[in-house]
Amino acid sequence: MTAIDTTGAAPDRDAFTDTLVQPRVIRGPGPATLEAEEISAWFGDHKVLDRVSLTMPARQVTALIGPSGCGKSTFLRILNRMHELIGSASLAGRVLLDGEDVYDRGRRITRARRNIGMVFQKPNPFPAMSLYDNVLAGLKLNAIKAGRDARDDLVEECLTKAGLWREVKDRLRQPGGALSGGQQQRLCIARSLAVRPRVLLMDEPCSALDPTSTRRIEETVAELKSEVTIVIVTHNMQQAARVSDTCAFFLASQGTPGVIVEHGDTGAMFTAPRDPRTADYVNGRFG
């Protein structure tokens, strides 16, 4: 998947221009419930999702599981308006953030991506930029001004939440590209948190990481869910069972568009699924 900076390519002038941060630490409105209503998606004439509806509750981790090619990552990109960056892409349906449609014509795309951040499968820090400036990159892109003390506090807070502060606090001026893969991924999480998203989307954030780095990312997810709603795509069934509160099983068969076969409490889906296809998938019998 192509690495794209989720903080937005241009400042959101209608909300944050020339804002001086007071008090010293930037505050956000808190986690939000995200709802997808009847989402269908196409690439050209090829339909990849068919009328997908899902509620992703605030202060919970929702895992999206299913075989490759069933539309999970496309669905994730639709949630923060990245799908529309592809020239041939189109969609139908609504995405509601605490009841407000993120695709409303009056809403800027950069505001949607500030409220609904994204962490990709492959870490994408700015390699020549320092760790300190990587964390603050979203503030610059959104024209959020902050004094030096506020910036220092924010960098420490976000790196701490991402489980990275103790490892890098003495080398904040080193380039982001000097970190290990797992550290780079946690740096990307810190960068996403700095603009106070209400939802954080994660597209297979551990797929390229070693077991130790994976464990640290999972610990970070568990600690963050009280402050930001999390939606994570994973092919690792053990990971889905460990980190998520609710789960949605996507499936596309014989060239048909992806649909949600079953969704609900993670424990119930893994121990007593309602659909036999869910039971087969979570037990490794296909996919």
Side-chain angles (χ1 to χ4, degrees), residues 241-286:
R242 285 192 299 264
V243 305
S244 69
D245 302 288
T246 61
C247 196
F249 172 45
F250 284 67
L251 187 63
S253 58
Q254 299 178 346
T256 60
V259 296
I260 292 181
V261 170
E262 184 172 347
H263 64 89
D265 176 79
T266 297
M269 280 188 60
F270 276 79
T271 58
R274 298 185 300 273
D275 192 293
R277 293 170 294 177
T278 308
D280 286 344
Y281 185 74
V282 299
N283 287 294
R285 290 192 281 269
F286 78 93

Side-chain angles (χ1 to χ4, degrees), residues 7-103:
T7 50
D12 184 3
R13 297 288 180 182
D14 63 343
F16 281 87
T17 300
D18 296 326
T19 300
L20 181 62
V21 178
Q22 296 291 343
R24 284 176 58 178
V25 179
I26 302 169
R27 298 298 176 195
T33 293
L34 193 61
E35 298 173 87
E37 294 185 348
E38 297 286 310
I39 295 293
S40 294
W42 295 261
F43 292 106
D45 294 330
H46 178 54
K47 191 174 187 180
V48 294
L49 287 172
D50 184 32
R51 292 172 293 177
V52 171
S53 295
L54 182 66
T55 297
M56 293 145 278
R59 293 181 174 85
Q60 290 191 18
V61 179
T62 300
L64 310 182
I65 62 172
S68 297
C70 62
K72 303 183 303 298
S73 292
T74 296
F75 178 73
L76 205 70
R77 291 194 299 269
I78 287 170
L79 295 179
N80 81 334
R81 297 188 59 176
M82 293 189 66
H83 182 68
E84 63 195 82
L85 294 177
I86 301 171
S88 64
S90 58
L91 65 94
R94 298 200 304 167
V95 177
L96 305 177
L97 184 74
D98 271 355
E100 297 185 0
D101 191 351
V102 302
Y103 281 89

Side-chain angles (χ1 to χ4, degrees), residues 32-243:
T33 293
L34 193 61
E35 298 173 87
E37 294 185 348
E38 297 286 310
I39 295 293
S40 294
W42 295 261
F43 292 106
D45 294 330
H46 178 54
K47 191 174 187 180
V48 294
L49 287 172
D50 184 32
R51 292 172 293 177
V52 171
S53 295
L54 182 66
T55 297
M56 293 145 278
R59 293 181 174 85
Q60 290 191 18
V61 179
T62 300
L64 310 182
I65 62 172
S68 297
C70 62
K72 303 183 303 298
S73 292
T74 296
F75 178 73
L76 205 70
R77 291 194 299 269
I78 287 170
L79 295 179
N80 81 334
R81 297 188 59 176
M82 293 189 66
H83 182 68
E84 63 195 82
L85 294 177
I86 301 171
S88 64
S90 58
L91 65 94
R94 298 200 304 167
V95 177
L96 305 177
L97 184 74
D98 271 355
E100 297 185 0
D101 191 351
V102 302
Y103 281 89
D104 186 279
R105 291 182 181 274
R107 290 185 172 272
R108 291 177 180 251
I109 191 169
T110 49
R111 186 166 189 178
R113 293 192 194 135
R114 190 183 66 243
N115 284 325
I116 308 172
M118 185 107 168
V119 175
F120 293 94
Q121 180 177 2
K122 182 180 179 181
N124 63 337
F126 300 111
M129 190 180 288
S130 71
L131 306 182
Y132 185 96
D133 289 336
N134 257 282
V135 175
L136 299 176
L139 272 66
K140 294 180 181 179
L141 289 169
N142 285 284
I144 304 172
K145 293 186 178 181
R148 178 57 184 268
D149 288 341
R151 294 197 304 271
D152 289 349
D153 288 350
L154 186 63
V155 168
E156 180 176 352
E157 178 189 347
C158 292
L159 288 172
T160 298
K161 288 180 178 178
L164 193 57
W165 174 251
R166 290 185 179 180
E167 298 172 42
V168 303
K169 63 181 180 180
D170 296 323
R171 48 191 178 116
L172 295 177
R173 296 302 174 183
Q174 291 186 4
L179 298 179
S180 69
Q183 289 174 324
Q184 287 185 20
Q185 191 66 293
R186 283 179 282 151
L187 177 62
C188 292
I189 293 173
R191 185 178 67 191
S192 296
L193 294 175
V195 293
R196 302 300 193 214
R198 307 188 69 191
V199 177
L200 186 60
L201 312 176
M202 309 181 86
D203 192 2
E204 295 189 71
C206 303
S207 64
L209 304 182
D210 61 82
T212 298
S213 296
T214 294
R215 176 178 55 80
R216 288 176 178 168
I217 295 292
E218 290 181 1
E219 290 170 350
T220 297
V221 169
E223 292 167 0
L224 286 176
K225 72 177 184 180
S226 63
E227 300 182 30
V228 59
T229 302
I230 295 175
V231 185
I232 182 171
V233 170
T234 179
H235 283 106
N236 185 323
M237 293 302 94
Q238 291 76 26
Q239 181 174 80
R242 285 192 299 264
V243 305

